[in-house]
Amino acid sequence: MAELNSSPEKTGGKSARKKLNPRIDLTAMVDLAFLLITFFMLTTSLQKPKIFNVVMPDITDTTEHIYEPASRTMTICIGKNNQALSYLGLPDNPLTEPRISNCSNKEIREAILDIEKRVATTTNKPIMVIIKPSDHSVYADMVNVLDELNIAGNPTYGITDIQPKDIAMLKEHKVY
């Protein structure tokens, strides 16, 4: 049982009357506190993690696939040191000059938006982004690129293995 006791204070020299010790039973208050804590723990919900879905293709699907033209395909090759190389078109014949961007800040978003604007003015259709992480890239760079694509509002992207031509382009720009 919990209780609160206080000792009597001594006064000058006279003791006219004896003060009684107040006795307060705190058991009910402790019970109420635990009931409230239990109630709030059970009724509150934990914050749900904010994630976005990555839809992977079905390997068993044998239907014919529709391919995007090179004029609407942006490739982002992720290299070392938080750097990415982006271009429009195919690695054999890029339609834009390859651009080196930093994955950890807004440079990659600016590159995405620039190519989106260029494709929208020429074809009036959205772009398809292909992300190719290299052997020297880190997982955080991949997540940053996906976040920037999500912020830029691009719903169509794919993740694939990097090709030897892309590796050669990364080495040429000293990013591999």
Side-chain angles (χ1 to χ4, degrees), residues 14-49:
K14 300 179 182 176
S15 97
R17 93 182 132 131
K18 204 173 198 184
K19 292 187 178 180
L20 296 174
N21 291 336
R23 183 176 173 154
I24 300 172
D25 188 13
L26 299 176
T27 306
M29 191 181 329
V30 171
D31 288 343
L32 180 65
F34 280 111
L35 284 172
L36 286 173
I37 290 171
T38 306
F39 172 77
F40 286 119
M41 284 176 53
L42 293 175
T43 58
T44 58
S45 61
L46 298 175
Q47 183 179 5
K48 305 274 186 212

Side-chain angles (χ1 to χ4, degrees), residues 31-139:
D31 288 343
L32 180 65
F34 280 111
L35 284 172
L36 286 173
I37 290 171
T38 306
F39 172 77
F40 286 119
M41 284 176 53
L42 293 175
T43 58
T44 58
S45 61
L46 298 175
Q47 183 179 5
K48 305 274 186 212
K50 296 178 183 177
I51 58 172
F52 53 93
N53 296 330
V54 176
V55 179
M56 301 300 287
D58 186 12
I59 296 174
T60 60
D61 186 15
T62 58
T63 60
E64 190 173 319
H65 298 285
I66 300 171
Y67 295 99
E68 298 291 332
S71 61
R72 289 181 36 212
T73 304
M74 176 185 184
T75 304
I76 300 174
C77 300
I78 304 172
K80 64 179 180 179
N81 298 331
N82 296 334
Q83 293 182 331
L85 180 106
S86 59
Y87 58 89
L88 182 66
L90 300 173
D92 296 335
N93 187 19
L95 301 176
T96 60
E97 185 67 28
R99 179 177 176 177
I100 302 292
S101 303
N102 193 336
C103 293
S104 60
N105 60 20
K106 296 179 183 177
E107 288 180 23
I108 193 71
R109 186 186 322 163
E110 291 170 1
I112 294 166
L113 292 174
D114 289 344
I115 291 182
E116 270 185 349
K117 189 185 301 180
R118 176 184 170 142
V119 170
T121 57
T122 57
T123 65
N124 202 18
K125 293 185 179 179
I127 64 170
M128 170 65 181
V129 179
I130 299 173
I131 304 168
K132 298 179 178 181
S134 71
D135 296 335
H136 298 277
S137 64
V138 293
Y139 182 73

